[in-house]
Amino acid sequence: MITRKILFLFTIGFLCFFSLTAQQKNSKKKAHRQFPVFSNVVYQGDDEIYKKNPLNADEFYSPILQGCYPDPAITRKGDDYYMVCSSFAMFPGVPIFQSKDLVNWTDLGGVLNNVSEFNPHDTGISAGVYAPGITYNPHNGTFYMIVTAFTGNMGNIIVKTKDPKKGWGSPIKLAFNGIDPSIFFDDNGKGYVVHNDAPDKGKELYNGHRVIKVWDYDLEKDQVIPGTDKIIVDGGIDLSKKPIWIEAPHLYKKDNLYYLMCAEGGTGGNHSEVVFSSNSPKGPFKPSSNNPILTQRYFPQNRANKVDWTGHADLFLGPDNKYYGVFLGIRPNEKDRVNAGRETFILPVDWSGTFPVFENGLVPMEPKLKMPAGVVNKTGRDGFFPNGNFTFKENFTSEKLDYRWIGLRGPREHFISIVKNGLQINPFPVNIKELKPTSTLFYRQQHNTFSFSTILRYKPESEKDLAGIVCLQNERFNYVFGITKKGKDTYILLERTENGNSQIIASAKIDIKDTVRLEVKASGDKYQFTYALNGVDFQNLGNAVSGDILSTNAAGGFTGALVGLYATASNDAQPK
């Protein structure tokens, strides 16, 4: 009996030892699996327009937000201005900026930063969330951000805060359809919501026929009041001319008159801003006789330094007691392609007459503006957002990652970690071509001529592993420039995906001793991908390729191109 017991205990002990040893081996195997580590990222903008138009001491550049920051809306509390923009499927949702002088802006991150409340995980890049409005209500000391979300059956939502620097409350779903909402508070504290909507059922006259509606808003329940909706604009400034896409409405009050300003013409070459007035926030609204008050549609297409598609604007009183307006516009490259996306511009507004008019908004726009009196231009310094030509360097040594780094369809925090040598990306089993959150840390393309480089420490283990740089317009239009495996060999490759069809442009077998430096250089429409195994001697991977697939001209949608640090455990790009 004793002998059998001893034998039993010995057997159990041996099995436990064997099991523990196996676990340790597996653990070591996992620990030795090398995830890609990125360091020394440098983004450098080099647009010719800024070289030819250096700033004087009293000037600043417009756009104030370069790259994909469209559909701006702005509000003021005391000396502080807060501005929000569209973000679509980028995460966090609704980027927000703060300024005291309209020139120097601080990036506060994103309003919708809780993925359990806003989750664009399965949306196309041009869905997600767009066209926000932001309004400060002095009657209750509260900021309201209202927006349309195309994910999770959210629809139109509103969030609130007493201080935008300290975060926002949970989204409240609003009981109306349509898009582009904004909220207005009258002198007596009463609230109104205006938005774009379809005409009443059976009354749509043509494609692009839309209406503007207004609702009374219940501040206690944070909800539009049922039955108070009213159409205040049908079609646009002149329905007989079949105007299209009246949208992005904002209500204002000045000298006891109510003003309704809207975009009209669609967010393309016919885009414009128009304005109406009324004695009541619920109309009837009469259009200004000098509409449009902002557009670039009347000028030659081949003009130099072209700014186009201007519209989707918001008005406000500046620190010099003068009115200004922010709005979207584009700066196409030499092929007239829109790669950097729709950006946020600013112009002074002349409101000395009955109706406001954007100063120099009806002539070809210039890149420079006079600053409000007493302002010092600190853009790109002291923590303020840069503009013009600038260099952004990231070594991933700070505990707080710059807000310009974003995720797509999900938080960046789900796949990144700061390690000794830089930023480690823990690859998802998701390809960049899938309609899912990707393990890619993205940065917006902010210039037509730019370079983006990084040092990559990585040794792929299989053909399913890839890491490198991606230039992306959307999941069906992109370039992948990365390191992967073929058999026992390591390769670098460049893959072009156009309308969902992928092609290997170039590939080369490489021997990575330690790190590899990757770089993409764009000069207008031409993008060149290069690499250096010793960090110094760069080699081209193939010839320069066209940036056509990184433009909205080819890919469609509403976003600008993104460039990112990409890793996947579901690679399907195979070297030649």
Side-chain angles (χ1 to χ4, degrees), residues 481 492 506-511 516-520 528-543:
F481 177 47
I492 186 167
S507 63
K509 187 164 69 171
I510 58 174
D511 183 14
V516 58
R517 189 164 188 90
L518 304 176
E519 182 175 66
V520 53
Q528 180 70 64
F529 295 85
T530 66
Y531 66 98
L533 294 173
N534 61 3
V536 178
D537 300 315
F538 280 90
Q539 303 177 60
N540 292 340
L541 186 64
N543 298 321

Side-chain angles (χ1 to χ4, degrees), residues 88-89 119-125 127-128 150-152 409 435-436 475:
F88 305 97
N119 189 356
H121 65 101
D122 59 354
T123 65
I125 196 171
F150 291 88
T151 182
R409 304 188 192 94
L435 207 62
K436 297 176 182 178
E475 60 278 356

Side-chain angles (χ1 to χ4, degrees), residues 8-38:
F8 174 76
L9 291 173
F10 174 80
T11 303
I12 293 297
F14 176 78
L15 290 174
C16 288
F17 173 78
F18 179 81
S19 176
L20 181 61
T21 303
Q23 287 178 22
Q24 288 174 338
K25 283 182 178 179
N26 288 334
S27 177
K28 286 181 179 180
K29 188 175 181 181
K30 287 182 180 178
H32 284 110
R33 177 178 174 83
Q34 190 197 46
F35 290 147
V37 175
F38 296 88

Side-chain angles (χ1 to χ4, degrees), residues 513-562:
K513 301 297 184 185
D514 184 24
T515 62
V516 58
R517 189 164 188 90
L518 304 176
E519 182 175 66
V520 53
K521 274 190 173 182
S523 179
D525 187 60
K526 294 187 181 300
Y527 287 64
Q528 180 70 64
F529 295 85
T530 66
Y531 66 98
L533 294 173
N534 61 3
V536 178
D537 300 315
F538 280 90
Q539 303 177 60
N540 292 340
L541 186 64
N543 298 321
V545 295
S546 173
D548 54 354
I549 59 171
L550 304 177
S551 70
T552 54
N553 311 61
F558 302 119
T559 59
L562 304 174

